Amino acid sequence: MHLSRFARFHLAHLPTPLGPMKRLSNELGVEIWIKRDDCTGMSTGGQQDP
């Protein structure tokens, strides 16, 4: 059995982007980025750091 015989369903908008955490980076003095899994289209949570 090979998996290619099954239909594919896209369940999320991938790949998700990386976003800079500007305020936290400034506070800690290091550059911090976060993977934006809230952009998958599967949920409504998350807030972007302005």
Side-chain angles (χ1 to χ4, degrees), residues 14-27:
L14 299 173
T16 57
L18 294 175
M21 300 292 291
K22 295 175 184 175
R23 290 183 292 178
L24 183 59
S25 294
N26 288 337
E27 185 71 27

Side-chain angles (χ1 to χ4, degrees), residues 8 13-14 18 20 23 35-37 49:
R8 292 185 128 189
H13 303 286
L14 299 173
L18 294 175
R23 290 183 292 178
K35 188 172 181 299
R36 296 291 310 275
D37 284 341
D49 190 0

